[in-house]
């Protein structure tokens, strides 16, 4: 299926505001960085992931950066962000990282939008090579309940996604073939969500408790979550800090700390929070809108560890 190429990130400030690179001492080994793009984007778009990769290489002397491509080329990578089973995507990513000799001593990871929860899936399922720090930039860790501004508003793909979700997000066909359905979280149909969500309900431990998932996530040194305060794409925005709508209604939200996931510590997040491993950052602006300066001051320190 041909994809109308859409750019999820608007990074003009990142691309055109340049400053002096931040160089690490020569005797300090640099941790590699793995990045994963969001919906409608690709690994190598020069206006988004290509620009992020280039900036990291400028800002961290000698860093090795992998921008994940799921597919044989950029077109496939973009299409797979809409239509490839997320569990298969995570498996492909795990295989790619495991085969890379430069990552075997560990790496830091940064995911953008849906790429953030996909990388969390990597952390929970594939501890080798070890992920050290996970930076989630606008990730939907409790899923979404709405698609208010699908990237590429005039795209036929966005219309198709809306119709498919409205007609039955938890039908077998939609779950298997539509990425966004696999992190669709309907608070009005909690049992339906838990029983039929192929990806999110599994990695959030909402069916059975997988102690391996919990153990692997707790191996992270830091789990950084970025929320965009004027986000018009992610609904509800609280999901970017692992919060969500309270079960049984679709108006009132709860924080991560108020949720059953935290109170029952299904993922080990409460234990991680208690020892300072969870970091909650916020910034003004719409989805994935930030300046080079904000990125440098707030996110780079976690990628230079």
């Amino acid at each position: 299926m041909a994809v109308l190429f859409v750019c999820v990130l608007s990074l003009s400030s990142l691309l055109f505001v340049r400053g002096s690179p931040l160089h690490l001492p020569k005797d300090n080994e640099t941790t590699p960085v793995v990045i994963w793009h969001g919906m409608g984007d690709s690994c190598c778009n020069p206006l988004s992931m290509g620009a992020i990769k280039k900036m990291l290489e400028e800002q961290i002397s000698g860093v090795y950066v992998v921008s994940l491509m799921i597919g044989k080329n950029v077109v496939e990578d973009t299409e797979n962000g809409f239509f490839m089973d997320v569990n298969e995507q995570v498996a492909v990513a795990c295989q790619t990282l495991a085969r890379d000799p430069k990552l075997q001593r560990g790496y830091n990871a940064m995911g953008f939008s849906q790429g953030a929860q996909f990388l969390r899936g990597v952390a929970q399922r594939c501890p080798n090579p070890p992920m050290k720090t996970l930076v989630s930039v606008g990730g939907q860790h409790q899923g979404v309940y709405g698609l208010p501004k699908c990237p590429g508003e005039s795209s036929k793909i966005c219309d198709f996604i809306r119709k498919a979700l409205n007609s039955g997000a938890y039908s077998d066909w939609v779950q298997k073939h539509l990425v966004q359905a696999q992190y669709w979280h309907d608070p009005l149909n909690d049992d339906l969500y838990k029983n039929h969500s192929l990806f999110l309900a599994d990695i959030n431990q909402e069916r059975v408790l997988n102690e391996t998932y919990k153990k692997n996530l707790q191996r992270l040194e830091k789990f950084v979550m970025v929320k965009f305060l004027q986000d018009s794409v992610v609904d509800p925005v609280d999901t970017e800090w692992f919060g969500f709508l309270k079960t049984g209604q679709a108006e009132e939200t709860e924080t991560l700390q108020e949720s059953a996931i935290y109170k029952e510590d299904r993922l080990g997040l409460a234990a991680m929070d208690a020892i300072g491993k969870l970091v909650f950052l916020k910034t003004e602006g719409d989805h994935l809108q930030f300046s080079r300066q904000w990125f440098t001051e707030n996110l780079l320190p976690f990628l230079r560890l």
Side-chain angles (χ1 to χ4, degrees), residues 20-265:
S20 300
L22 303 176
H23 294 290
L24 293 175
K26 291 183 180 180
D27 59 352
N28 191 350
E29 184 177 351
T30 304
T31 302
V33 178
V34 173
I35 58 179
W36 199 337
H37 63 81
M39 176 177 68
D41 201 4
S42 73
C43 63
C44 313
N45 185 339
L47 299 179
S48 55
M49 290 298 98
I52 292 289
K53 183 177 185 292
K54 181 178 180 181
M55 187 182 68
L56 289 170
E57 292 168 343
E58 290 176 348
Q59 296 288 325
I60 306 175
S61 180
V63 72
Y64 174 60
V65 182
V66 176
S67 184
L68 286 168
M69 177 190 290
I70 309 299
K72 297 178 182 179
N73 51 53
V74 169
V75 173
E76 282 192 13
D77 186 32
T78 306
E79 291 180 346
N80 287 338
F82 289 105
F83 303 116
M84 183 179 180
D85 187 325
V86 179
N87 294 302
E88 293 179 14
Q89 293 193 54
V90 170
V92 169
C94 288
Q95 292 169 6
T96 299
L97 302 181
R99 288 194 299 259
D100 194 327
K102 295 182 180 180
L103 302 177
Q104 299 314 300
R105 296 182 64 182
Y107 62 95
N108 293 324
M110 180 167 56
F112 295 84
S113 198
Q114 68 181 25
Q117 64 258 35
F118 298 173
L119 277 171
R120 178 164 64 85
V122 171
Q124 292 176 208
R125 294 175 177 175
C126 308
N128 295 305
M131 185 185 296
K132 296 184 176 182
T133 291
L134 173 58
V135 178
S136 167
V137 186
Q140 303 96 28
H141 293 284
Q142 279 271 36
V144 297
Y145 186 55
L147 205 68
K149 188 180 175 184
C150 175
E153 194 63 28
S154 64
S155 172
K156 292 182 179 179
I157 290 178
C158 291
D159 291 336
F160 171 77
I161 291 172
R162 288 191 184 93
K163 290 177 182 178
L165 292 174
N166 289 335
S167 66
Y170 300 118
S171 70
D172 291 342
W173 189 92
V174 173
Q175 277 290 309
K176 189 67 177 177
H177 295 95
L178 187 59
V179 166
Q180 290 68 40
Q182 293 180 43
Y183 57 87
W184 183 262
H185 188 168
D186 186 345
L188 303 178
N189 294 282
D190 194 51
D191 289 340
L192 195 63
Y193 157 70
K194 289 178 179 178
N195 292 330
H196 295 280
S197 171
L198 291 182
F199 176 69
L200 190 69
D202 177 65
I203 65 164
N204 281 359
Q205 306 269 49
E206 295 184 280
R207 281 194 289 266
V208 296
L209 183 61
N210 184 328
E211 290 292 346
T212 300
Y213 282 4
K214 183 175 179 178
K215 179 180 179 181
N216 288 342
L217 190 63
Q218 288 181 294
R219 289 178 176 174
L220 289 175
E221 296 172 7
K222 292 288 183 183
F223 181 10
V224 182
M225 289 172 268
V226 178
K227 178 196 286 188
F228 293 88
L229 297 180
Q230 284 79 45
D231 202 314
S232 65
V233 174
V234 175
D235 186 15
V237 70
D238 306 74
T239 189
E240 296 177 355
W241 276 3
F242 231 118
F244 202 65
L245 294 159
K246 291 183 178 180
T247 301
Q249 50 84 63
E251 295 182 3
E252 188 177 355
T253 60
E254 63 184 9
T255 65
L256 165 63
Q257 289 76 12
E258 294 169 333
S259 70
I261 285 179
Y262 188 93
K263 291 178 178 178
E264 298 171 8
D265 212 12

